[in-house]
Structure formats: C-alpha cells, structure tokens
Amino acid sequence: MFLEELFSLKGKVVLVTGGGRGIGQVVARGLAKAGAEVAILQRSEPKEAIKEIEDDGNIAYWVKADVSDEKAVDTAIAKIGERSGRIDVVFNNAGICIHKGTLEASISEWRQVIEVNLTGEYIVARSAARVMMEKGIKGSIINMASMSGSIVNIPQWQASYNASKAGVIHMTKSLAIEWADAGIRVNSLSPGYIATPMSTETPQELKDAWLPLMPLHRMGKPEELISAVIYLASDSSTYTTGLDLIVDGGYSLV
Ligand code: NDP
C-alpha cells in the first residue's frame, strides 16, 4: 500500500511520444499499469501498443504528429486536452539515430537528427507546459536523452546523435530552472544500449564490439527503464528536477 501510493499515477494523464515501439511501447504500458491514462503521440498508428494497454484493462489512445512539426504537435496536444482534460506528465521519448561518419553524413541528415531529437523534444515540452501552466498543473516532463549525451560511443560514428542528446541534457536543466516557479519539474533519462527495434537493426559486428565495453556484459531491456520513468513521473520525485538519470549498467563509467 505504502509503495503503491508513493509510485501511483492514478488520475494522471501521461503523454508518451514514440510510445508505439521499442522503449516507448514498454514504458507506456508500465505507466498505464501504474494508473495513468496514456496518450501516444507519433506519426504511425500504434495499434499493437494500444491493444496491449487496453487488454490490461487500462486506457490509451493515439494522437498523430511528427514531433518536429510545431503546428501538428500543438493540434495533437489540444486533442489530448479535449479528450482527457489535462496533461500531467510528458515522456518525451521519440528519437532517431543515423550512424555515419561526419565526412560521409549530409548536412540534411545532421539537421534531421537535431530536428527530431532536440527541437522535437523542445516543441513537445513547450506545448505541454503551456497546458500545464494554463491549468495550474504541477507537471513532470521527462526528456529522453542517452548516455551518448555524456560519452562518445565507439566504434560507430554518430556525432549528430551525440550532440542532440547532449543538447537534451542541458535543455532539460535550463527548462527545470525556467519552469521551477510554475511547479513543473523537468528531468532527463539517459539509458545505455537497450535492446529495441532501433538496436536490433544494428549490425551484429557493432554489437560484438560493444559487449566487451559493458560492465554488466549485456544490453539493457526496455522493461528496466519503467521504474526510472515512474519515479520521475510520480509524486515520489517532487524534489527532483534538472536531474539526468543515467541507467546504463555502468557503461559510461569505464
Ligand atoms: P525506436 O526506433 O524503437 O522507436 C522510435 C519511436 O519514435 C517510434 O515509435 C516512432 O514512431 C517514434 N518517432 C520517430 N521519429 C518520430 C517523429 N519525427 N515524430 C514522432 N514520433 C517519432 O526507438 P527506441 O525505442 O530504441 O528509442 C526511443 C528513445 O530512446 C530515442 O529517443 C532514443 O534516442 C533513446 N535511446 C535509445 C537507446 C537504445 O539503445 N535503444 C539508448 C539510449 C537512448 P513513428 O515512426 O510512427 O513516428
């Protein structure tokens, strides 16, 4: 009972971007099990993710938008307002990665990664914070960063991704201070390598190169991020803001 109260999301409406696949799908289901009503924002319809949550007896629905399209995000967030009446938590999770050396990558590929990972999270955070402020909601925004925001991965080159995630970490700290008086907490989550469709598409030779660098000798599972997000989303973290919570099995320490 004590733990249930501490980590409960009952009565909270949670927006999960990219909640239809990978980490977002697994965490969205976990947030719904903790009591939240979940709105999934992404480009394609997340049929399977929504069915899973409904089969558990919980509530989820889709709002369509590309996170880098300000107008589409504002429209999607307005739809959540109409349907659920509020937004308490944002899990700003949608993101992409392009593995290419800097001399081979085009500037448009650089822009694409920065647009989705950094500008997209900024657009979603801003649009949701407006709703929170208008309604006087003491909300929580959790921005998906990565250990790549603090370390440089090897042997694959991904300067745009690393820079976007470093940007997310400092944007998070900046928004945490800017919105502290409004009662909105802003934190980031920095996972290490997590086994998802994004990483299963990764060539085996890359994964073989990562393994000796992993103190726990394995990739993480999306399920191992649920509790970290519930902590940041729930009232158990009301004195935590501006934190970058690293969940990487110790990878970034060695
Ligand atoms: P996936 O590729 O499995 O899923 C990405 C999700 O984001 C999809 O649901 C996709 O839906 C959505 N998405 C992508 N682009 C956009 C867009 N422009 N607008 C709206 N939604 C979009 O990724 P992961 O689950 O692996 O990663 C999720 C997050 O975690 C990312 O931010 C990633 O950088 C971060 N991360 C991942 C790690 C890993 O090892 N997997 C490690 C550290 C951080 P749709 O295409 O329909 O829009």
Side-chain angles (χ1 to χ4, degrees):
M1 192 61 189
F2 172 65
L3 280 183
E4 233 174 85
E5 270 168 28
L6 205 54
F7 295 103
S8 174
L9 298 178
K10 251 186 207 123
K12 292 194 194 285
V13 176
V14 179
L15 163 61
V16 180
T17 69
R21 203 171 67 211
I23 294 169
Q25 179 175 355
V26 171
V27 171
R29 189 177 184 186
L31 294 169
K33 281 185 182 170
E37 181 169 322
V38 174
I40 294 177
L41 183 153
Q42 60 176 41
R43 293 164 303 179
S44 63
E45 188 176 1
K47 283 192 186 145
E48 189 194 308
I50 286 176
K51 186 175 180 313
E52 263 177 9
I53 292 175
E54 288 177 344
D55 286 350
D56 290 337
N58 299 315
I59 301 171
Y61 60 94
W62 172 47
V63 286
K64 182 176 180 167
D66 182 319
V67 291
S68 63
D69 179 341
E70 187 187 356
K71 260 198 173 154
V73 168
D74 284 345
T75 305
I77 296 229
K79 278 188 193 148
I80 298 172
E82 281 160 27
R83 176 149 176 184
S84 303
R86 54 190 297 121
I87 298 178
D88 300 276
V89 176
V90 176
F91 181 37
N92 224 341
N93 160 78
I96 57 169
C97 182
I98 297 176
H99 289 160
K100 265 194 190 174
T102 295
L103 301 186
E104 287 77 48
S106 65
I107 294 298
S108 87
E109 284 171 324
W110 164 275
R111 288 206 171 104
Q112 196 189 338
V113 173
I114 300 292
E115 274 292 295
V116 175
N117 294 5
L118 180 56
T119 312
E121 292 199 16
Y122 182 75
I123 289 172
V124 172
R126 208 161 80 114
S127 187
R130 276 202 189 104
V131 174
M132 291 172 182
M133 286 180 205
E134 274 164 23
K135 296 185 183 285
I137 293 167
K138 310 277 180 229
S140 167
I141 297 176
I142 303 146
N143 292 326
M144 181 57 104
S146 165
M147 67 173 179
S148 309
S150 309
I151 58 116
V152 176
N153 307 66
I154 52 169
Q156 77 280 20
W157 306 130
Q158 46 180 49
S160 56
Y161 183 83
N162 298 349
S164 73
K165 296 301 188 179
V168 167
I169 292 169
H170 206 61
M171 175 184 74
T172 298
K173 293 178 183 175
S174 308
L175 298 183
I177 300 305
E178 192 174 330
W179 294 341
D181 282 343
I184 298 174
R185 298 182 296 105
V186 191
N187 295 287
S188 58
L189 176 68
S190 280
Y193 291 113
I194 305 292
T196 68
M198 190 191 250
S199 53
T200 40
E201 285 155 18
T202 306
Q204 190 56 41
E205 72 220 45
L206 261 190
K207 290 193 216 164
D208 290 345
W210 296 339
L211 205 58
L213 304 169
M214 291 174 174
L216 297 187
H217 313 294
R218 64 172 177 87
M219 292 176 83
K221 296 180 237 158
E223 288 77 6
E224 292 176 296
L225 299 175
I226 297 173
S227 52
V229 180
I230 290 181
Y231 166 65
L232 294 174
S234 67
D235 292 346
S236 53
S237 61
T238 42
Y239 202 55
T240 304
T241 196
L243 171 74
D244 179 44
L245 180 52
I246 300 176
V247 183
D248 69 349
Y251 188 101
S252 57
L253 299 177
V254 295

